[in-house]
Amino acid sequence: MMNDNKLASTLSGIVSRDHRESTFVSALALAAALAGAAPGAQAGNTYIVSTALDPVGPPDSLSLREAITAANIADGNTIQFAPALAGSTITLTTGEIQINHAM
């Protein structure tokens, strides 16, 4: 089973920081990372959003978009926000985030 820190670490090494391409690259990177994490990463995981940036933040961080994409694998996953984000505003810079499963 892949935990949140290992997933974030895996993604930070393969997600492009070029915001013009990051949505497409992030989706491919997340699919590749989660394929290696299955079946343990399917339900019951907690993803902690640690950056207010969208679509991706600095290395070893998890954006709201990345957390929702990861949690969308199955019902029963949870998304929480790091205490450091209290009072922050998250602006979705690359459009709406589709939610397909109960979180």
Side-chain angles (χ1 to χ4, degrees), residues 48-97:
I48 300 174
V49 176
S50 58
T51 182
L53 298 176
D54 180 61
V56 295
D60 297 325
S61 69
L62 193 66
S63 71
L64 178 60
R65 185 174 303 276
E66 291 170 318
I68 290 174
T69 301
N72 253 342
I73 290 220
D75 291 345
N77 290 313
T78 302
I79 294 177
Q80 296 179 349
F81 295 88
L85 291 179
S88 296
T89 299
I90 298 175
T91 302
L92 302 179
T93 59
T94 57
E96 294 180 1
I97 304 171

Side-chain angles (χ1 to χ4, degrees), residues 4-67:
D4 298 338
N5 292 334
K6 187 172 180 184
L7 177 61
S9 176
T10 300
L11 288 175
S12 70
I14 56 179
V15 173
S16 170
R17 296 291 176 215
D18 180 348
H19 289 283
R20 291 170 291 158
E21 300 176 28
S22 58
T23 301
F24 179 71
V25 174
S26 292
L28 291 177
L30 185 60
L34 292 176
Q42 293 194 3
N45 288 317
T46 298
Y47 299 92
I48 300 174
V49 176
S50 58
T51 182
L53 298 176
D54 180 61
V56 295
D60 297 325
S61 69
L62 193 66
S63 71
L64 178 60
R65 185 174 303 276
E66 291 170 318

